[in-house]
Amino acid sequence: MIAALATQGLSKKFGALQVAREIDFTLPVGARHALIGPNGAGKTTFINLLTGAIEPDSGRVTLGETDITYAATHRRVRMGLVRTFQINSLFPDFTPLEAVTMTICEREGIAGRWLSSLTGHRALAEEAYALLEKLGLGDEATRMTRYLPYGRQRLLEIGIALAAKPRVLLLDEPAAGVPERESHELLEAISALPADIAIMFIEHDMELVFRFANRITVLVAGQVLCEGAPAEIAADARVREVYLGSRDHG
Amino acid sequence: MTNTTDPVGGFLRRSQWRPTEIMVWVLVIAAFFVFPDRLVLGSRVLIIAIYALSLDLLLGYGGLISLGHAAYFGTGAYAAGLIANYGWTEPISGLIGAAVIAGVLGYLAGFIIVRLNGVALLMVTLGFGLLISELANSLNDITGGSDGLNMTFAPILGHFDFDLAGQTAYIYSAAFALLAFVFVRRIVNSPFGLSLQGYRENPKRMAQIGAPMAARLRLVNALAAALAGLAGGLLTQTNQFVGLDSVGFERSADTLIMLILGGGGRLYGGLVGALVFLVGRDVFSEANPQYWYFWLGLLLVLIVLFMPQGILGGIDALLARIKRMRKAAP
Amino acid sequence: MAEQLFTLVFNGLAYGILLFIMAIGLSVTMGMMNFTNLAHGAFAMIGGYLAYTVTIQLGWPFLVSLPIAFFGVGAISVFFEAALYRRFYRSPQLSQVLLTIGLALMSVAGATYIWGPQLRLVRMPDYLSGQTSLFGVEVGTYRLFLIIVGAIIALGLVIGLERTRFGAMVRATVDNRRMAQSLGINVNRVFRLTFALGSGLAGLGGALAANFIGGMLPNFPMGYLLVYFLIVVTVGGLGSTMGALLAAVLLGVGDAAVKFYAPHFASFAIYALMVVLLMWRPNGLLGRR
């Protein structure tokens, strides 16, 4: 069975700092895979290597059967590899409807058309609205993003990623910064994600990790420390050593 | 603004012509009859409005600052002049030719621009504008240098000569202005236009939703350049003259100021800004020419401090506030 | 031939060092606070005009006008930083560009009002005019003076940056502002002092440059010198003193060279070279990669 996403021997150095060291990683189809590790372990760097924001020094990244090690970021997205950001990376003066419609236009490959009016693509806008409704953002669909509360913005962050119809979804700390009372909808949205999408998420909140993950990888100082089912990882002494006291909110 | 009844419809409807917009063009036509002795100024306002519109496409919608946009205006201006001087005096085709030449230049420059950010981008656009300006100066056997070039044009559509009162020029400029606005309107309300504004809002995120921005930016640069070249060519044709003031930093800076004054990203900001700027400068030049710069500078500082969205933005904000007050008071 | 070359390089070096003195403040401002200040030329201009006022209207010696220009402009800059610039450090680049262009325009009008639209020349002492013999070649005395003064200032800056505590704080803040702050460095205070110092140097440079560029005119802040400052800063690399010096000297010598060998295309060549250099190294020759 070909993995949805895989890396072999992925390495990267920034000057003298080795931020990724021979990382072998496999994400099967339909995975719910958590990536955990202390601060500075290189988790976000790893995502950046996967999405093409930075180039590795050595190693390979494959999406399904395709080698994407040096492919441009937007090409990877077209092939179904989508990420969200730890800190919301949204479009402040757009409404959610505009942002999601734009993403759908990209997905459909018509975003380059400069002489065709948006009114001719009503179906795409309606798909966008339907997605927003499903996420509970229907009422705010035409409010400017900058005026939405942070939790709603976080939902939009995921919504934009979903609009791209990913086959592999990389969530960078999806619950980060979301206040307790707003995280409910977010968690619902995450659990409702389609089963055939392969998902890898970085999280510090161990409650979330054990709730959603069926497999965990522990990354320390750019290297994979261990990998396995949640119960194994929880029992692993090395992990506990590295992670003293992190069962509370990180 | 929440449209609770039909959000999708509301979203799509914004690309329709609004009454205020139609009013603008009615006024443009009316001005022909109401101000028969100010038609020369009127043409200039319309031409500069096209130029400002082209900058709006880059800056207001795309978020790309260019301190050298006059390079394209000047290229179009000189191209139109040279085409006529080398024998092709038919104005409309000459004008299209000038726009195409400017557009090609813009497309080529796009390869440089997409690789740069921040200060480097600012400097390269500035340098590019200065480069073209210096080129116009140095190649003075072709461009006429500081003396400029004079030329004559055949009558438009075989009939209409450029008359001294500026009537033909006004109608000619107004027609192209309308075409330019319809064209840009279409672009900004297209999927491409949406992605352009997305780039303005968050350049880094666009790649992460699958947008090949490099190619799109080259295209928008080419389109903006062609429009600027069209404006430049219009100026040359209506004046039967082209000189060094068509290129040069002042030309770039003036238009930037006009656009900010009117409000970027609102399609008509350039027109409003051009009108206020050119009329204002006319008024001040009679009174106190050297202090025009003082008031202009002060205006700029005040806009940045208090009204960064320009006149149109200020009007929008005012209308929004009135709407809120109406909602509050039953 | 060798003599011609020597004179060319010598003149270029003098011009370059002058550009360095005027532009270094801009480099640090833009490198440290990411603040695009297109009004920097106004500071140099005020320095030049102060030199005129001091030497012509007050009749004092030229060398006295130099510290007056330095401290005077420095003081004025402190006022502007506190009253206006401070609010825009986090603003988008366009706002900074527009704000500072507006201020530059106002300074042009202000200069016209205070000193009039005519060309103003500084009164130079006799001992700085004419020619001096250097290694058997006749060189301009004033240029030699510029090189010496410039070298002293450049050396002072480098030593100050490398050896003093304040210099270390400056370097840290330029390198990584957030990190510097978390190390306890009062970033705002460091910036204010550096801004004042840099603006003072611009003023000093303006006073030195006044006659050298042919005299003071009110449109100075919007002229080609502003472009040259920006070239020095961006090609050198924001916040890099050595980079600014290197770029300034290259620009000075390059300017002298093209004006000599291909005067017709001089400016074109300079701008074209700048575009090429920035494409090759968008962060400047010695800037961050």
Side-chain angles (χ1 to χ4, degrees), chain C residues 8-272:
Chain C
L8 192 95
V9 173
F10 186 83
N11 291 350
L13 190 62
Y15 189 34
I17 286 212
L18 190 59
L19 286 174
F20 169 72
I21 298 173
M22 286 194 278
I24 183 64
L26 186 61
S27 176
V28 182
T29 303
M30 288 175 73
M32 197 187 278
M33 278 319 223
N34 232 332
F35 184 75
T36 310
N37 179 19
L38 296 185
H40 188 77
F43 290 136
M45 174 183 76
I46 295 174
Y49 272 120
L50 277 179
Y52 160 77
T53 300
V54 164
T55 58
I56 302 275
Q57 292 177 321
L58 290 178
W60 293 351
F62 175 65
L63 289 183
V64 170
S65 73
L66 295 180
I68 291 180
F70 178 73
F71 288 108
V73 175
I76 293 173
S77 77
V78 167
F79 170 72
F80 269 101
E81 198 273 334
L84 208 50
Y85 283 18
R86 207 173 278 190
R87 307 168 198 233
F88 289 88
Y89 293 154
R90 290 193 211 286
S91 297
Q93 190 183 45
L94 181 62
S95 302
Q96 295 174 350
V97 167
L98 293 169
L99 175 78
T100 52
I101 287 184
L103 290 173
L105 288 174
M106 287 170 76
S107 73
V108 169
T112 316
Y113 180 72
I114 300 177
W115 289 288
Q118 317 90 309
L119 190 76
R120 297 296 186 197
L121 288 166
V122 172
R123 189 171 58 90
M124 285 291 174
D126 288 329
Y127 57 83
L128 283 181
S129 61
Q131 311 256 322
T132 311
S133 188
L134 187 72
F135 306 129
V137 186
E138 289 291 307
V139 294
T141 314
Y142 192 68
R143 286 195 170 90
L144 184 59
F145 170 69
L146 278 179
I147 293 183
I148 295 175
V149 170
I152 295 174
I153 291 178
L155 200 62
L157 282 176
V158 171
I159 293 179
L161 274 179
E162 298 290 324
R163 296 293 169 90
T164 66
R165 224 175 118 242
F166 183 70
M169 293 199 282
V170 169
R171 277 183 293 130
T173 314
V174 171
D175 205 40
N176 190 332
R177 188 172 8 143
R178 213 166 281 169
M179 187 60 89
Q181 213 158 10
S182 56
L183 286 175
I185 295 179
N186 187 340
V187 161
N188 283 331
R189 212 161 56 90
V190 170
F191 182 68
R192 274 158 216 169
L193 282 169
T194 350
F195 185 72
L197 181 64
S199 307
L201 280 174
L204 173 65
L208 288 169
N211 277 13
F212 190 74
I213 56 166
M216 296 300 300
L217 280 173
N219 65 3
F220 183 108
M222 302 298 287
Y224 72 94
L225 269 183
L226 174 65
V227 183
Y228 275 25
F229 297 162
L230 290 170
I231 293 178
V232 167
V233 167
T234 48
V235 171
L238 299 182
S240 165
T241 311
M242 288 312 293
L245 187 58
L246 177 64
V249 168
L250 278 177
L251 182 57
V253 173
D255 183 81
V258 289
K259 285 208 168 102
F260 184 73
Y261 290 116
H264 210 47
F265 283 93
S267 299
F268 176 83
I270 301 268
Y271 300 138

Side-chain angles (χ1 to χ4, degrees), chain A residues 89 93 98 106 115-116, chain B residues 14 186 201-202 205 216:
Chain A
S89 180
D93 280 343
E98 285 168 339
E106 288 296 343
L115 278 180
S116 106
Chain B
R14 66 183 197 173
R186 190 66 164 191
E201 292 299 305
N202 191 340
R205 191 67 198 268
R216 303 245 176 100

Side-chain angles (χ1 to χ4, degrees), chain B residues 264-308:
Chain B
R266 288 161 206 273
L267 206 63
Y268 285 90
L271 178 56
V272 170
L275 186 63
V276 173
F277 184 94
L278 288 174
V279 170
R281 187 166 66 180
D282 235 25
V283 167
F284 269 95
S285 292
E286 290 165 24
N288 238 323
Q290 55 203 154
Y291 300 135
W292 160 247
Y293 276 122
F294 178 79
W295 295 113
L296 185 62
L298 183 61
L299 184 64
L300 211 49
V301 172
L302 290 176
I303 288 181
V304 173
L305 280 173
F306 302 118
M307 229 171 49

Side-chain angles (χ1 to χ4, degrees), chain B residues 112 119 123 131 134 138 290 294, chain C residues 109 112 264 267-268 274 279:
Chain B
I112 302 177
V119 185
M123 284 308 294
L131 234 150
E134 283 301 319
S138 312
Q290 55 203 154
F294 178 79
Chain C
T112 316
H264 210 47
S267 299
F268 176 83
M274 173 193 81
M279 283 203 61

